[in-house]
Amino acid sequence: MADATSARISDKVNATRPALTSASASRSPKKRRTSLVEKMKTPPAEIDALKELANFTDPESHWVANKEMLLKSCRDTAERKCRECALTTLAKLAKHPNNKEPIWEEAETVLLDASRLTVDADRQCREQALRALASLGAHANNSVPVWDAAQGLLLKASQSMDGKERKCRIFALRALANIAAYGSNEARIWKAAQKVLLKASQL
């Protein structure tokens, strides 16, 4: 996907070069660079296709039919917008009871990786990954493995006081609440997250 996108962007950029060259006398170097960057920001066709995947009526069959494309896009670090769209769809699909186990089994790595992103520009990816984890943890067979795999990042996200990270904090706290709903997890979560939960309850 990234190679095809790069090729199309390259063609568009090359097509602008004659115009940029002919106008070089009237444009400053800074102006020319800005124009070129704007051309390179043209949304790829993959973004539109991934946005369409967010619309579905049968979540279970939608996951089965499109999981390969979604997982591939969730791993695509070269195309941030594609990754955002794929993670958003994944988070929506993770709400469906019959999807919780299979999505956790096949998407665990991509969700954990996205939840650990730290760059501001990746915030939406991080939000949607945490949103998905919150939904996946609300299942009897997922609660323990989700907690074991994501404990550190959930506790970290739930403690952030950065206003820009508000959604991440909400989804992380929701994940803790969903996981704690299963009796076998209550003591473990209370021991690890007592301070976090008490602080959040005072906000």
Side-chain angles (χ1 to χ4, degrees):
M1 183 183 298
D3 292 340
T5 300
S6 299
R8 284 198 298 277
I9 292 177
S10 179
D11 290 342
K12 291 182 179 181
V13 170
N14 289 334
T16 67
R17 286 176 180 167
L20 289 172
T21 302
S22 64
S24 59
S26 60
R27 295 186 183 182
S28 67
K30 184 175 181 180
K31 182 69 173 179
R32 290 199 301 277
R33 285 196 298 271
T34 300
S35 177
L36 189 60
V37 168
E38 290 303 315
K39 289 290 183 181
M40 293 177 69
K41 287 182 179 178
T42 302
E46 286 85 352
I47 294 177
D48 293 333
L50 286 164
K51 285 182 177 179
E52 285 298 316
L53 286 182
N55 302 313
F56 51 82
T57 56
D58 185 346
E60 190 173 359
S61 63
H62 197 71
W63 162 247
V64 173
N66 298 291
K67 61 183 179 181
E68 290 185 8
M69 179 179 181
L70 288 171
L71 292 174
K72 181 180 179 181
S73 296
C74 285
R75 299 186 187 101
D76 193 351
T77 57
E79 294 292 345
R80 179 177 288 119
K81 193 62 181 177
C82 288
R83 196 180 195 186
E84 288 177 5
C85 292
L87 285 164
T88 298
T89 299
L90 200 59
K92 292 179 66 176
L93 288 169
K95 293 180 179 180
H96 192 270
N98 291 343
N99 281 342
K100 293 183 186 296
E101 284 190 274
I103 287 180
W104 173 247
E105 290 174 2
E106 299 190 57
E108 173 184 354
T109 300
V110 297
L111 291 174
L112 294 176
D113 287 347
S115 297
R116 295 187 182 103
L117 295 172
T118 57
V119 179
D120 284 349
D122 289 324
R123 184 174 293 111
Q124 187 171 339
C125 289
R126 188 163 60 252
E127 290 173 358
Q128 295 306 316
L130 288 167
R131 177 186 170 198
L133 289 176
S135 293
L136 296 176
H139 189 284
N141 294 336
N142 283 355
S143 61
V144 171
V146 170
W147 173 247
D148 289 342
Q151 175 180 347
L153 64 88
L154 290 176
L155 291 175
K156 182 178 180 179
S158 63
Q159 294 179 74
S160 176
M161 298 304 292
D162 185 342
K164 295 178 181 179
E165 295 291 321
R166 181 174 176 274
K167 287 186 178 180
C168 288
R169 187 181 194 193
I170 289 173
F171 291 136
L173 288 168
R174 184 181 298 171
L176 294 178
N178 289 343
I179 294 169
Y182 297 90
S184 61
N185 294 321
E186 288 181 353
R188 300 172 66 197
I189 291 181
W190 179 247
K191 182 178 180 180
Q194 178 179 358
K195 292 182 179 179
V196 173
L197 296 172
L198 290 174
K199 188 174 183 179
S201 67
Q202 294 169 358
L203 293 176

